[in-house]
Amino acid sequence: MKLYSIIALALLTGCSTTVPVKMTFPDVPPSLKERCAPLKKIEGEEINIADLYKVVVENYTSYHVCAMKQDEWNEWYTTQKKIYESVK
Amino acid sequence: MFSTLGWMMSLLPDSLLMWIFYGCAGIGLAMILVSWFIWFIPLLNRYRFPVQVLGVIAFGVGAFFSGGYGIEMMWRERVAEMEAKVRAAEEKSREVNTVIETRVVTKTKIIKEKGEKQIQYIDRVIKGDTVEITKDMSEEQKAEFVAKQKELEDNLKNCKVPKLIVEELNKAAETP
């Protein structure tokens, strides 16, 4: 009787395993993978303050675009990580 | 062998399979019990051992398959649940990507337009095309603007940026 009980228990015991379904982490949007534009240099022989101003404004613009992309990259990663971790 | 058996089993309706497995285990159990009782019946006594062996086999097979089937069903349910979760998450992930991609394009456009406007503003002041700039200004503001414009003109005429400053600024713009 004991032997029957042990056999039945062994046969009815389920095996623990993980579910073979996984989510792949998404790809970064292409616009966030672009490198920051290099800073512009002042070109020419006779440089006045207006020429200097233009280059400075263009470089500020490049910086603002690059900083914005950096913020968006962080936002993208944080959000995607939350989504990825919710599937568990 | 087990995969073929599994495929064959998948062709049968779930409820029928359950009845077959439980039935097999039940018959096996009944045969084991019967084998104990026939011990006391002289005519049937000689069949005791084969009945007991068949009973154990039937019970074992029934218990094995009903257990395996139950586990299989449980895992299928969990896999389906996970697949639905993954599909929903992937859809959400795609939506987030689209939102961020659109936002990056829009913000880039706004930033670049702002820079271009600032450069255009100074160009217009230098050229003296200030009608549009001063049209909404009060007399006091206009006077102040004209003074600033004159200061800029004087600066542009008389003050060149020293070459050393230009060179150093260009060096600072290089990536270290």
Side-chain angles (χ1 to χ4, degrees), chain A residues 4-49:
Chain A
Y4 292 144
S5 308
I6 292 164
I7 291 168
L9 191 69
L11 289 170
L12 293 168
T13 305
C15 305
S16 173
T17 180
T18 50
V19 180
V21 181
K22 278 189 177 177
M23 182 191 170
T24 50
F25 202 80
D27 282 334
V28 186
S31 59
L32 295 184
K33 283 201 266 188
E34 288 167 6
R35 281 179 66 88
C36 291
L39 293 174
K40 286 192 176 164
K41 289 181 179 176
I42 305 152
E43 306 284 345
E45 282 299 307
E46 296 278 298
I47 306 297
N48 61 33
I49 200 77

Side-chain angles (χ1 to χ4, degrees), chain B residues 1-174:
Chain B
M1 184 198 153
F2 279 104
S3 62
T4 316
L5 198 67
W7 176 78
M8 284 163 75
M9 274 163 62
S10 70
L11 296 174
L12 294 169
D14 295 349
S15 55
L16 181 68
L17 271 177
M18 277 317 284
W19 278 112
I20 291 170
F21 297 145
Y22 283 141
C24 191
I27 289 166
L29 199 63
M31 285 169 86
I32 293 165
L33 291 172
V34 166
S35 71
W36 286 332
F37 286 113
I38 60 174
W39 174 263
F40 305 106
I41 306 165
L43 279 172
L44 300 172
N45 197 358
R46 58 185 168 166
Y47 299 113
R48 184 182 159 268
F49 184 69
V51 169
Q52 199 172 28
V53 169
L54 284 174
V56 168
I57 291 169
F59 178 75
V61 168
F64 178 83
F65 280 106
S66 57
Y69 183 80
I71 291 163
E72 174 70 16
M73 286 298 110
M74 189 190 80
W75 281 116
R76 276 189 199 178
E77 204 175 289
R78 282 195 67 181
V79 166
E81 193 184 303
M82 279 301 286
E83 278 174 346
K85 261 189 178 181
V86 166
R87 265 198 304 277
E90 279 175 347
E91 182 60 34
K92 203 174 170 189
S93 168
R94 273 194 293 276
E95 278 171 23
V96 168
N97 268 19
T98 311
V99 167
I100 289 178
E101 185 83 57
T102 313
R103 203 162 59 201
V104 167
V105 171
T106 313
K107 280 185 179 176
T108 305
K109 194 171 168 253
I110 291 168
I111 293 167
K112 284 186 176 172
E113 277 176 1
K114 185 176 174 265
E116 280 165 12
K117 269 185 190 173
Q118 281 191 261
I119 290 170
Q120 280 168 7
Y121 176 84
I122 289 296
D123 278 343
R124 283 164 80 177
V125 173
I126 293 167
K127 284 176 192 166
D129 181 16
T130 56
V131 181
E132 194 67 25
I133 298 167
T134 56
K135 69 174 183 183
D136 296 324
M137 287 181 180
S138 65
E139 286 306 312
E140 198 182 325
Q141 285 171 326
K142 269 185 191 171
E144 197 182 331
F145 177 76
V146 169
K148 283 180 184 172
Q149 194 182 5
K150 193 173 179 312
E151 185 193 18
L152 177 64
E153 277 171 15
D154 292 345
N155 194 293
L156 288 171
K157 275 179 200 164
N158 306 317
C159 182
K160 298 290 172 199
V161 178
K163 277 190 177 173
L164 188 70
I165 296 292
V166 171
E167 282 169 11
E168 290 307 310
L169 274 173
N170 283 343
K171 274 185 200 170
E174 285 170 7

